[in-house]
Amino acid sequence: MLTATDLVCCRGERPLFDSLSFTIGAGGWLHVKGENGAGKTTLLRTLAGLAPADRGVVCWYGDEVRPDNAAYRRALVYLGHPAALKDELTALENLALALSLDGMAAGEMALVTALRRVGLSGRETLPVRQLSAGQKRRVLLARLLLRPAALWLLDEPFAALDAEGIVLLCGLIGEQLAGGGIVVLTSHQPVALPNGRELQL
């Protein structure tokens, strides 16, 4: 269970959001909506423990989320809006690097299989600089297949994806929820998944 209680985050003197509270149980998901600059990314970073709230508390199954909470960090995957990839590395190398930063490792066949499942068959060994924006996004999505986590925090995950990529991502999120996972995502577009809640910032 992910719980936010009376969260307040400010940018300078201006509050982005105030007294924000919600609870998401296993198998639940939250669609965070709002105009540019409304605080969507700030909220996800706060939930991830990467940026402290000015006031309020985030709890994971009753334990307060803190920057040094290693167990919580292992329980989540955070995909930011920018494609945090190294252009000089291949898709395969970028995926391996992302996993190593998470303290995990996967064999080459597992990496290749994940990249192929997200539609990058034949592009596994291309430098990322040769991939389109949508293909770079798919490299990030492959991490979701190899990094088991109870909580997904996804910032604009549908950005740059074509119709096929959107269906693919909805399927991955559906599998996460069916397994009892929790998803919090931001998106400017409707998300075709049932039983979600919307939070307007």
Side-chain angles (χ1 to χ4, degrees):
M1 179 181 296
L2 179 68
T3 304
T5 305
D6 294 329
L7 289 184
V8 178
C9 285
C10 300
R11 180 174 293 152
E13 297 297 318
R14 183 176 70 88
L16 291 172
F17 46 82
D18 191 357
S19 300
L20 183 64
S21 298
F22 58 81
T23 298
I24 314 170
W29 68 282
L30 182 68
H31 181 182
V32 182
K33 304 174 73 173
E35 301 297 327
N36 292 334
K40 300 185 299 297
T41 295
T42 298
L43 175 58
L44 287 195
R45 288 180 55 81
T46 300
L47 296 178
L50 298 174
D54 292 283
R55 192 170 71 244
V57 177
V58 176
C59 291
W60 176 248
Y61 285 93
D63 293 329
E64 184 175 348
V65 171
R66 299 181 183 277
D68 59 351
N69 189 331
Y72 180 63
R73 297 299 294 273
R74 288 192 298 270
L76 72 86
V77 167
Y78 173 70
L79 294 187
H81 179 38
L85 301 170
K86 294 186 178 295
D87 283 345
E88 70 276 12
L89 299 182
T90 67
L92 198 64
E93 291 167 338
N94 267 287
L95 184 54
L97 176 61
L99 290 174
S100 69
L101 292 175
D102 286 334
M104 300 184 62
E108 183 172 337
M109 184 53 66
L111 297 172
V112 169
T113 299
L115 290 169
R116 288 177 178 173
R117 185 176 171 193
V118 298
L120 292 176
S121 181
R123 298 175 176 85
E124 302 92 344
T125 57
L126 287 178
V128 160
R129 65 175 175 272
Q130 297 182 19
L131 301 181
S132 70
Q135 289 169 335
K136 290 178 181 178
R137 177 65 54 179
R138 288 171 184 252
V139 176
L140 299 179
L141 298 184
R143 182 177 165 215
L144 299 176
L145 296 171
L146 296 170
R147 169 68 164 83
L151 174 61
W152 290 1
L153 302 174
L154 311 177
D155 195 3
E156 295 293 343
F158 297 98
L161 291 178
D162 55 17
E164 181 182 337
I166 290 172
V167 171
L168 168 69
L169 177 54
C170 284
L172 295 180
I173 294 173
E175 291 175 13
Q176 167 76 351
L177 300 177
I182 295 173
V183 177
V184 181
L185 63 85
T186 69
S187 178
H188 289 289
Q189 63 191 73
V191 181
L193 287 167
N195 304 321
R197 295 169 49 200
E198 290 189 355
L199 174 64
Q200 184 72 41
L201 295 183

